[in-house]
Amino acid sequence: MSSEETHEVPSGAIGLARLAVGLAQGIALYLLYISIDDKTWPSTDPYVFAPLGVALLYVPLLALQGLGNIRLRTLIPWLLIAAGVMAGLAWYDIWTRVPIFDAYNSDYALRANITPSFAVFFFGAVWLFIAHALVAGGDADRRIVARYTTHFDVAWKLAVQLALTFVFTVVFWSFLWLGAALFRLIDLNFFETLLEDRWFSIPATTLAIAVAFHVTDMRAGLVRGTRTLVLVLLSWLLPMLALIVGAFLLALPFTGLAPLWKFGHASALLLTTAAGLIILINAAHQDGQQLPPRVMRIAGSIASVMLAVLVGIAGYALWLRVAQYGWTADRVATAACVLVAAFYAVGYMLAALPGGVWLARIESWNFYAALLVLGVLLALFTPLANPDRIAVADQVARLHAGKVSVAQFDFYYLGRAGRYGHDALVALESDKSPAIADAAKLMLTSPTPLLATTIQPDIRSRISVYPASAVLPPNFLAQLEKTDFNHAGGLPVCFYSSKGRCDAILIDVDGDGQDEILLTNSDGPEYNPSVYRQINGRWDLYGHFAVGTSCGAFYNALRGGKATLVPPPATGRDVIVGIFRFPFVPADRENQNCQ
């Protein structure tokens, strides 16, 4: 498209329009933010807040890039479609959840209940990027399917614009905070206070993004030069990665596949490698207008064939895990990645066959692959192929088919699977098997539902006791195996999960000369870890330490015996680690209101 056709409006007017969009976005996001602080509508209705928040976050960015690049007759319908898709994904994400309740941090619970998951934000952005590039390319060529050179140019321009916009925004805020530091040197804190106020920081950020989009759009030569430099640099990595992957595949006949299965995440690593090859092959091919050097063409052709082998091994590894343990949400997502990677692998392998221009056939294949990615993402984030729905149905079917015993079944997994897992537990509560029904009922009726289920039978072997010379009392282990506690939900996740290790730290919390037991996960510390105390030969919940999940120093100090406990012992002693104090909250005082 010519510049006259592209910019139907003068660049000055486009710049003002972008600033207006950025300012409007900033004000709207600020209003959403203060509704959370004030606990007013729309934050009180997650089915309104989440869709509105996601749409306001992403759709204005599409408008910023589309102004001046996409005709308004195409841009406006596309923005409406994008808003509808993102709002729908956010609404469904909220619908699939079970609300979170947190007695210690009601603000955290509020934000967790109304904010879509990270996956919606990340993969929603990926979906919008691909779709926007296809829409912009088609509008530029005045056809539904644009020429490959147009799609290539539009997609890479958008990628570079986003990268430069991110860098500009970071530098923008860096200089603002530098200015605040200068004012602090002379005891003036008004500038720092201004930067911390959301009424300023949110609109300032969106305006900075609008400026960055406009400047990069008006300096198309700079963007194109940056793109060319990045692609050239990436393309020269292709021979190196092809050599590494080739050596890996040649070594497999001698090592066998057994070491891959021990790794635990073989499929993810193989698929990541495949994605790297796809990116580098496209960096070498670019828009197909100019052949790369011979060494790069050879490496690209070999890499295109090796893709099929990598994806085949990844698919086989996934199939083995599913056959042995059934579907989980992660495995469903991995299967989606395998599907997309296999589509690329087949097309690239066929494109590498002799005849015609080097890898010319990947051009049309890339377009269809982009459509496939859009479809797969929509399927994963809708009922069509929701990973939790598929995984829950498969795991429950395995339980009923006797492929896994009730003692080995991970009921905790259903508790983490949102609405689908909750509905499955409700159904299992009426199961004809008393053992299944009791386990499901325990999960649903526990004071902390997400943590209550049957304890894993091999838990003894997965508990690390601190200090190293200590041992767990036999009556505690016996009580543990019966899940006979007054507050079963106080036990860490590792006691119910089929994987992971637990820590039991013996510490005299009440100062009576007898150790209590603090329980936590070995891999990921608990939020407000539970402490159990023995009274008349029985162990029950005594209270919690007010500790965040990021306070690793607290756990390290207790494990190493370097923590200091301070009185008063009557209510349980606080822990001092360095300059930090972690208060102990007795169980009988946790739910008392301040009078």
Side-chain angles (χ1 to χ4, degrees):
M1 182 192 299
S2 67
S3 60
E4 291 78 7
E5 292 175 309
T6 303
H7 300 291
E8 299 175 343
V9 183
S11 60
I14 293 174
L16 291 175
R18 283 178 169 142
L19 289 176
V21 170
L23 180 60
Q25 181 190 26
I27 294 173
L29 290 176
Y30 169 70
L31 293 176
L32 284 181
Y33 182 88
I34 62 173
S35 76
I36 299 177
D37 284 349
D38 297 339
K39 295 180 175 59
T40 58
W41 190 89
S43 68
T44 54
D45 187 346
Y47 292 108
V48 174
F49 183 90
L52 193 60
V54 172
L56 287 174
L57 181 65
Y58 285 126
V59 175
L61 300 181
L62 301 180
L64 291 176
Q65 203 283 332
L67 287 170
N69 293 303
I70 302 176
R71 293 173 299 168
L72 292 179
R73 71 185 72 173
T74 302
L75 180 61
I76 293 175
W78 161 232
L79 294 180
L80 294 175
I81 293 173
V85 169
M86 295 307 299
L89 296 182
W91 186 94
Y92 178 69
D93 182 70
I94 296 295
W95 181 85
T96 58
R97 298 186 190 178
V98 174
I100 295 174
F101 300 96
D102 190 334
Y104 297 98
N105 191 341
S106 59
D107 289 338
Y108 163 78
L110 172 63
R111 287 172 169 80
N113 288 330
I114 66 176
T115 306
S117 64
F118 173 77
V120 169
F121 283 107
F122 180 80
F123 291 104
V126 172
W127 192 91
L128 288 176
F129 177 89
I130 297 172
H132 187 77
L134 294 179
V135 170
D139 184 76
D141 279 0
R142 304 294 194 268
R143 49 195 289 191
I144 296 177
V145 180
R147 293 172 295 116
Y148 181 74
T149 53
T150 302
H151 277 316
F152 179 86
D153 184 68
V154 168
W156 276 99
K157 175 188 175 183
L158 180 57
V160 173
Q161 274 189 298
L162 290 172
L164 292 177
T165 297
F166 174 78
V167 172
F168 174 81
T169 306
V170 171
V171 173
F172 168 77
W173 273 104
S174 299
F175 280 115
L176 284 181
W177 281 109
L178 177 62
L182 289 175
F183 278 102
R184 279 205 311 271
L185 292 177
I186 54 176
D187 292 330
L188 294 177
N189 298 323
F190 75 93
F191 199 13
E192 181 178 1
T193 302
L194 177 67
L195 298 185
E196 292 175 346
D197 284 338
R198 294 294 184 266
W199 69 263
F200 173 81
S201 60
I202 295 178
T205 301
T206 56
L207 281 173
I209 292 173
V211 170
F213 265 107
H214 185 67
V215 172
T216 53
D217 202 48
M218 293 299 101
R219 299 292 184 271
L222 172 65
V223 174
R224 188 171 291 107
T226 303
R227 180 199 72 186
T228 302
L229 177 61
V230 169
L231 289 175
V232 169
L233 290 174
L234 287 176
S235 66
W236 282 106
L237 296 177
L238 177 60
M240 180 190 71
L241 185 58
L243 181 63
I244 293 173
V245 175
F248 166 78
L249 295 178
L250 289 175
L252 281 182
F254 302 98
T255 64
L257 296 176
L260 288 178
W261 312 150
K262 295 179 182 179
F263 184 76
H265 300 286
S267 294
L269 185 57
L270 291 169
L271 292 174
T272 301
T273 305
L277 285 176
I278 292 171
I279 292 173
L280 296 184
I281 290 170
N282 280 279
H285 180 267
Q286 297 192 27
D287 58 2
Q289 299 300 299
Q290 185 176 356
L291 285 177
R294 182 177 178 82
V295 63
M296 209 170 293
R297 299 200 301 273
I298 295 174
S301 297
I302 295 175
S304 298
V305 175
M306 290 190 298
L307 268 177
V309 182
L310 288 177
V311 176
I313 297 174
Y316 179 61
L318 176 64
W319 178 80
L320 289 177
R321 300 295 289 181
V322 171
Q324 187 173 6
Y325 301 108
W327 288 103
T328 62
D330 288 341
R331 289 174 195 143
V332 174
T334 302
C337 294
V338 170
L339 172 64
V340 173
F343 186 86
Y344 272 106
V346 170
Y348 281 40
M349 183 173 62
L350 294 176
L353 296 176
V357 181
W358 179 71
L359 292 186
R361 288 184 285 269
I362 72 169
E363 297 177 2
S364 59
W365 205 264
N366 281 342
F367 174 77
Y368 295 117
L371 296 181
L372 176 63
V373 172
L374 293 179
V376 168
L377 287 177
L378 282 181
L380 289 175
F381 290 92
T382 59
L384 184 62
N386 180 276
D388 283 334
R389 182 185 65 79
I390 294 174
V392 166
D394 181 69
Q395 291 298 328
V396 171
R398 285 170 54 83
L399 175 64
H400 284 146
K403 294 181 180 180
V404 58
S405 66
V406 178
Q408 294 176 328
F409 186 75
D410 193 355
F411 283 89
Y412 168 69
Y413 179 80
L414 300 184
R416 291 181 301 164
R419 181 181 293 265
Y420 292 108
H422 180 269
D423 291 348
L425 287 170
V426 171
L428 291 176
E429 195 176 12
S430 303
D431 196 90
K432 61 182 180 181
S433 167
I436 294 177
D438 290 345
K441 183 177 181 179
L442 176 64
M443 187 72 186
L444 291 168
T445 59
S446 167
T448 313
L450 289 181
L451 296 181
T453 182
T454 53
I455 292 176
Q456 292 296 307
D458 65 338
I459 190 60
R460 285 192 183 211
S461 63
R462 292 192 283 115
I463 299 178
S464 299
V465 184
Y466 297 91
S469 59
V471 294
L472 284 176
N475 63 338
F476 176 82
L477 291 171
Q479 192 175 328
L480 180 67
E481 291 177 349
K482 298 178 182 178
T483 325
D484 184 20
F485 292 96
N486 67 335
H487 192 291
L491 296 176
V493 172
C494 54
F495 281 85
Y496 308 107
S497 175
S498 59
K499 299 180 181 179
R501 297 190 60 83
C502 307
D503 286 351
I505 303 173
L506 274 63
I507 177 175
D508 185 9
V509 177
D510 59 8
D512 64 353
Q514 300 295 321
D515 286 333
E516 281 69 50
I517 301 176
L518 182 147
L519 301 175
T520 185
N521 296 309
S522 300
D523 301 329
E526 291 287 298
Y527 180 74
N528 294 332
S530 302
V531 176
Y532 282 78
R533 178 172 64 169
Q534 181 179 208
I535 299 179
N536 298 326
R538 174 182 171 82
W539 293 85
D540 276 323
L541 182 70
Y542 180 32
H544 298 83
F545 278 105
V547 184
T549 56
S550 61
C551 296
F554 172 83
Y555 299 96
N556 293 334
L558 289 181
R559 292 186 185 105
K562 298 179 180 179
T564 302
L565 286 94
V566 297
T571 59
R573 298 188 290 177
D574 298 347
V575 166
I576 298 292
V577 178
I579 63 173
F580 300 102
R581 180 168 182 150
F582 301 93
F584 179 77
V585 182
D588 59 359
R589 300 189 181 185
E590 289 176 349
N591 297 321
Q592 291 183 3
N593 295 322
C594 295
Q595 299 295 330

